Amino acid sequence: MVREIRNIMKFCYLLSIGFTLCSCATVIIERPEIRGTLYDAVIKRPIEGVSIYIDYELITSNEEGKFIIEGITRKQVFNFESGHDPKFYSIKLKHPKYDSINIKKGTRGSFNQKVIVYDSIFLQPIDNTTLPSKH
């Protein structure tokens, strides 16, 4: 009987250690999910086919000018970084008819937002080919 009680106590002890270690795990947001909509700066219409480059990935905007870049997270059991590890992303937007632009954002430790939304990103046309014709 005493042996069974000791085994139960050992099991409860190990179980509580396991729960404690699991609760110490934190989720580090390496890069948040990034959403945006791209517009022509002159005629204010969405731009389809913009190439969006980020961390060796290529995404293309759809017919509504929208794009979504998936976020990257990782779990860490003990976080000894204390918010000192720099995190950043750099997005390059390219289209043959528009000036390219870069968007950069950085932080330390972890991004505090799971999703970042760029409502309206305006690209400047290289020439007037996107202007409506005057007939």
Side-chain angles (χ1 to χ4, degrees), residues 38 47-52 59-67:
L38 303 163
I47 307 171
E48 179 180 7
V50 176
S51 298
I52 299 120
I59 295 104
T60 305
S61 63
N62 66 15
E63 64 278 350
E64 297 173 341
K66 296 182 183 289
F67 67 89

Side-chain angles (χ1 to χ4, degrees), residues 21-87:
L21 289 176
C22 288
S23 68
C24 293
T26 57
V27 175
I28 306 294
I29 301 173
E30 297 281 340
R31 181 182 76 203
E33 178 179 299
I34 303 166
R35 299 176 184 199
T37 308
L38 303 163
Y39 293 97
D40 183 297
V42 176
I43 61 174
K44 311 296 190 250
R45 290 192 183 144
I47 307 171
E48 179 180 7
V50 176
S51 298
I52 299 120
Y53 298 92
I54 183 168
D55 299 333
Y56 309 107
E57 295 177 53
L58 171 62
I59 295 104
T60 305
S61 63
N62 66 15
E63 64 278 350
E64 297 173 341
K66 296 182 183 289
F67 67 89
I68 297 175
I69 300 170
E70 291 185 29
I72 299 173
T73 60
R74 67 178 166 89
K75 287 187 178 179
Q76 187 169 339
V77 176
F78 292 105
N79 186 2
F80 296 112
E81 296 171 358
S82 302
H84 298 292
D85 186 27
K87 306 281 185 245

Side-chain angles (χ1 to χ4, degrees), residues 87-106:
K87 306 281 185 245
F88 64 92
Y89 63 82
S90 177
I91 304 171
K92 183 159 186 115
L93 306 170
K94 293 179 79 174
H95 190 283
K97 295 181 180 178
Y98 296 88
D99 289 333
S100 297
I101 63 170
N102 291 314
I103 299 172
K104 297 179 182 185
K105 186 164 184 168

